[in-house]
Amino acid sequence: MEATANHTQIVTGWAGKDSSGKVTPHVFKRRENGPEDVTIKVQFCGMCHTDLHYLKNDWGITMYPIVPGHEITGIITKVGLNVTNFKVGDRVGVGCIYASCLNCEFCEASEENYCDQVQFTYNGIFWDGSITYGGYSEMLVANNRYVVRIPESLPLDAAAPLLCAGITVYSPMKHHNMFQAGKKLGVVGLGGLGHVAVKFGKAFGLHVTVISTSPNKEKEAKERLNVDGFIVSTDPKQMQAASRSLDYIIDTVSAKHSLGPILELLKVNGKMVLVGAPDKPVDLPSFPLIFGKRTVSGSMTGGIKETQEMLDVCAKHNIKSDIEIVTPEYINDALARLARNDVRYRFVIDIASKSKL
Ligand code: NAP
Ligand code: ZN
């Protein structure tokens, strides 16, 4: 019997079939709900820039057809026999991680994201050998180990981007002990990840400066997001004036750029975390590093336990993503706008709206 013989459930979704960066309606199959699984009726799915990288095959690893989406919220419609922590009707989320080995030191430490066999929610290979398909679809089957609970006070639409954008910035901020009131945080790139990093910074009492290529984002960054400083990175005078002023920097930029000028903004001993994933290597000149004894590190999403913790922190501090809700019919327009940096600050697909049309 084929390993995927139990993939009998027919699902409608939206898939990229070539590197055009566009999706079309796509019907595919998911497995039956197993004993450890939950079935989720997808309500909302955030559109991460990673979706665009994969759709365009920026990283050269895309398996077409690809159903993107790893910022998924929805309602449980079925639970497997061995599932005790969820019940039908629960409001839940699924992020980037769909499977991992469950045996290694990282899985045991709830850092499944660093398991060397980690498989993602889309463009991954599940334990049964099937390719994973993400949340640009009406229904998802997921092992309950990788499912989190959405706190009651968070709406399912504005919570969806927290499943990737939220945890991706929360995890390194916590790891590097950045949640200290009064410290100075720089956020490079005011997009999906960047605006949530700003919100965590403000919630924990940091002084937050945005470093952006978009002067037209300054007014709203100050008025709506309450940022304390805004530097236009293409203006050498503004960059110079802020030299050695920041304790931490989170770089969320999706395209190739140089870290040199940004590193100059850090104090001596300052730390930069890269979470953006450009397809080409970023420039990392050694002088700003060695002259400031500065550190550059990276971080990839977060573990499931920490994702739940992050959501609970968001509920406590009322942190939600700023979103523009779109219908599935609008996905291609939204992808085109995401590519030209025209989003404030996350598109979220109202998956269920299709049935309302
Ligand atoms: P996004 O919403 O498109 O935001 C990226 C921001 O980068 C833009 O808003 C823009 O901000 C800035 N930017 C874009 N092009 C630029 C350029 N050529 N030079 C300088 N700045 C530029 O994207 P996102 O969803 O936040 O994702 C950002 C990156 O993180 C992507 O590469 C994505 O794949 C990656 N990512 C990584 C992880 C992880 O686990 N590490 C998780 C999720 C996403 P300004 O207009 O303010 O300049
Ligand atoms: Zn993402």
Side-chain angles (χ1 to χ4, degrees), residues 47-50 53 59 70 96 164-165 168 188-194 210-214 217 252-257 274-278 299-301 338 341 343 345-346:
M47 294 177 65
C48 180
H49 204 111
T50 297
H53 287 307
W59 301 325
H70 58 205
C96 302
C164 171
T168 299
V188 191
L190 191 57
L193 269 57
V210 166
I211 299 121
S212 172
T213 57
S214 307
K217 291 183 184 174
T252 73
V253 172
S254 54
K256 179 179 161 61
H257 59 296
L274 269 181
V275 289
S299 189
M300 208 257 311
T301 190
L338 181 59
N341 197 5
V343 50
Y345 286 93
R346 199 54 131 197

Side-chain angles (χ1 to χ4, degrees), residues 185-314:
L185 170 71
V187 177
V188 191
L190 191 57
L193 269 57
H195 92 289
V196 187
V198 166
K199 291 191 181 204
F200 281 124
K202 292 303 294 179
F204 284 92
L206 283 88
H207 178 281
V208 181
T209 299
V210 166
I211 299 121
S212 172
T213 57
S214 307
N216 63 351
K217 291 183 184 174
E218 176 165 3
K219 190 168 183 288
E220 64 188 46
K222 287 190 169 153
E223 288 172 4
R224 273 186 41 204
L225 298 172
N226 284 323
V227 303
D228 304 285
F230 192 97
I231 299 171
V232 178
S233 53
T234 48
D235 180 344
K237 276 203 197 108
Q238 288 190 33
M239 292 293 277
Q240 180 63 37
S243 169
R244 291 194 169 204
S245 65
L246 304 173
D247 296 288
Y248 315 112
I249 289 178
I250 302 199
D251 184 324
T252 73
V253 172
S254 54
K256 179 179 161 61
H257 59 296
S258 175
L259 303 189
I262 302 168
L263 280 169
E264 301 281 10
L265 303 178
L266 281 174
K267 295 178 182 172
V268 173
N269 273 320
K271 291 178 185 167
M272 175 194 273
V273 179
L274 269 181
V275 289
D279 54 344
K280 305 250 171 20
V282 292
D283 297 319
L284 178 55
S286 57
F287 275 37
L289 263 188
I290 62 179
F291 275 80
K293 213 208 301 175
R294 296 165 175 123
T295 307
V296 176
S297 63
S299 189
M300 208 257 311
T301 190
I304 302 300
K305 198 169 153 210
E306 196 172 49
T307 303
Q308 186 65 64
E309 172 189 308
M310 177 272 314
L311 286 168
D312 296 341
V313 166
C314 288

Side-chain angles (χ1 to χ4, degrees), residues 49 52-62 64 254 279:
H49 204 111
L52 196 57
H53 287 307
Y54 271 110
L55 282 167
K56 292 181 166 172
N57 198 17
D58 279 349
W59 301 325
I61 54 172
T62 304
Y64 295 106
S254 54
D279 54 344

